[in-house]
Amino acid sequence: MWMKTAGGSLRVLHLLQNCCIHSGWRRTDGGQRRLCRLMSSSGPPWRLLFFGTDHFAVESLKLLNCSRSSSGGVVESLEVVTLSGDVPVKRFAQQNRLPLHSWPPDKVDGQFDVGVVVSFGCLLPEKLINKFPHGILNVHPSLLPRWRGSAPIVHTILHGDAVTGVTIIQIRPHRFDVGPIVNQELHPVPEKCTVEELGAALASKGAHLLIDTLMTLSERMAHKREQGQTGVTFAPKINTSMSFVVWEEQTCDQIDRLYRSIGFRMPLRTIWMDKTVQLLDFVGKCHISLADHRTQPVPGSVSYQKESSTLAVCCKVCPTLLNSKIVTMYAHSIHTVLQFTFCHCK
């Protein structure tokens, strides 16, 4: 109802915006109709549209879904946008009867307060971003601006970072991972951890940081800060060229980090007897004694260790030797199985 007093219309409009009394009917999966707000809320619980694909994204989606089901949660309604194919986010949404949208979504206007993007891989256009009154948040597994890009966890391990973390940013159009920082939390990188182990830890931390951010979103958005230009690094997608081991150029520690960062997706490779071969199951470094102390080992040279039935391969920094306990190495035309161990000379 509109009031006819001077300035009354503006006051009623203000009430509508803050009290969310404008409503309509939305049909649920079960065919029932329920009353839904059509105007933006000024605070939680929020109407969320989630964008995601992989297992890392599922952790945030799980926590949001739990919040939707609990009293006093930060989520009023939750719907999901994902890509085609049998991806983990789509399976979770189907199992939990969450409404699914194909990419790009339509019918977004007035339906959601906040968007959440976690490991989605598609650049959101400005027209879509502007349809969310409180913006779109992104959960990124690094301490931005360090490791912008699609593979931050891989590059964190590959470069030997001792500390990483999770950053919640506000999505901006045209470029990935450049939006202002809304929330951020540090996470120490465990020694010798793999990309799967670190990814699982950061997925859980990111999910909880997202809930914390949504609880006080208005306040955090008011205090968001732009990313600085200092310390910007990039984390491009991994490719097969990264898996090649060059003994003359890489140290034992570098190859160990390489295996822990990309070995879960592709085996490391090297040249053996003029053939490209694969190296599997690396586990770390050990110490060996060379029979002839006058001999300076050459990177790429191989020494057989009879007591452990393994081979030690010399790396860039002598007398450092690379090791892999029961590392299987084979080529298409070679049927002999060789076993290796990462080692240090004494």
Side-chain angles (χ1 to χ4, degrees):
M1 180 180 298
W2 294 98
M3 304 175 73
K4 295 183 179 180
T5 57
S9 297
L10 292 176
R11 286 196 296 272
V12 172
L13 179 59
H14 180 74
L15 283 172
L16 284 170
Q17 290 173 333
N18 288 279
C19 297
C20 309
I21 61 174
H22 191 185
S23 59
W25 292 99
R26 179 183 299 171
R27 188 170 296 277
T28 64
D29 290 343
Q32 299 176 340
R33 295 194 304 166
R34 63 183 178 87
L35 194 62
C36 297
R37 293 182 291 110
L38 297 182
M39 295 189 67
S40 172
S41 170
S42 60
W46 306 104
R47 300 169 301 163
L48 292 182
L49 184 60
F50 183 90
F51 301 75
T53 56
D54 61 14
H55 289 290
F56 185 91
V58 168
E59 288 303 308
S60 289
L61 185 56
K62 282 181 181 178
L63 220 55
L64 291 172
N65 190 48
C66 289
S67 178
R68 179 181 66 93
S69 305
S70 63
S71 60
V74 297
V75 179
E76 177 185 307
S77 64
L78 179 60
E79 301 186 20
V80 176
V81 177
T82 191
L83 304 180
S84 59
D86 185 28
V87 295
V89 163
K90 178 180 287 187
R91 293 197 298 270
F92 180 87
Q94 291 171 336
Q95 292 166 2
N96 291 272
R97 299 182 177 276
L98 296 175
L100 271 169
H101 301 256
S102 58
W103 172 255
D106 54 6
K107 298 180 181 179
V108 173
D109 300 67
Q111 301 298 313
F112 305 99
D113 303 314
V114 186
V116 173
V117 174
V118 187
S119 193
F120 188 56
C122 295
L123 200 61
L124 274 58
E126 186 172 8
K127 183 178 179 181
L128 175 61
I129 295 172
N130 291 338
K131 293 181 179 181
F132 294 81
H134 294 272
I136 301 180
L137 303 177
N138 174 224
V139 180
H140 187 83
S142 80
L143 294 177
L144 289 172
R146 185 164 177 79
W147 301 134
R148 292 175 178 173
S150 60
I153 303 174
V154 167
H155 287 270
T156 293
I157 294 178
L158 185 61
H159 290 80
D161 290 4
V163 178
T164 185
V166 178
T167 306
I168 308 291
I169 64 170
Q170 183 182 14
I171 288 285
R172 281 186 175 163
H174 312 308
R175 293 173 61 195
F176 286 108
D177 306 328
V178 298
I181 294 173
V182 181
N183 206 350
Q184 193 171 60
E185 186 172 333
L186 275 63
H187 182 83
V189 179
E191 187 177 358
K192 299 301 180 186
C193 72
T194 65
V195 71
E196 299 100 317
E197 293 165 344
L198 184 58
L202 293 180
S204 177
K205 177 159 287 190
H208 286 87
L209 191 64
L210 174 63
I211 296 297
D212 176 71
T213 303
L214 290 169
M215 289 177 65
T216 56
L217 181 59
S218 298
E219 179 183 351
R220 291 193 177 277
M221 292 292 274
H223 294 89
K224 64 188 179 184
R225 58 185 173 89
E226 297 295 331
Q227 296 184 38
Q229 294 303 311
T230 303
V232 174
T233 58
F234 296 93
K237 290 181 179 179
I238 63 174
N239 56 67
T240 54
S241 65
M242 296 171 61
S243 68
F244 233 95
V245 175
V246 182
W247 310 102
E248 296 83 1
E249 299 177 2
Q250 294 165 290
T251 67
C252 181
D253 288 334
Q254 288 173 332
I255 299 173
D256 179 54
R257 293 198 302 266
L258 181 64
Y259 177 74
R260 290 187 287 110
S261 62
I262 71 172
F264 77 110
R265 287 191 181 174
M266 61 187 73
L268 302 190
R269 300 176 298 158
T270 192
I271 300 296
W272 175 264
M273 298 176 63
D274 298 323
K275 302 288 184 179
T276 298
V277 297
Q278 294 181 334
L279 306 170
L280 307 176
D281 301 329
F282 291 175
V283 296
K285 295 178 291 185
C286 68
H287 299 278
I288 65 169
S289 297
L290 296 178
D292 187 353
H293 293 284
R294 296 170 298 177
T295 302
Q296 185 75 3
V298 178
S301 60
V302 177
S303 172
Y304 178 66
Q305 305 300 302
K306 184 177 181 180
E307 65 279 4
S308 59
S309 298
T310 58
L311 293 177
V313 184
C314 181
C315 302
K316 174 185 176 182
V317 181
C318 294
T320 301
L321 293 177
L322 186 69
N323 158 18
S324 117
K325 181 183 180 184
I326 312 183
V327 172
T328 304
M329 174 174 166
Y330 62 92
H332 294 297
S333 58
I334 298 177
H335 299 288
T336 305
V337 175
L338 306 174
Q339 296 180 323
F340 284 79
T341 310
F342 292 144
C343 304
H344 281 293
C345 297
K346 288 182 180 179

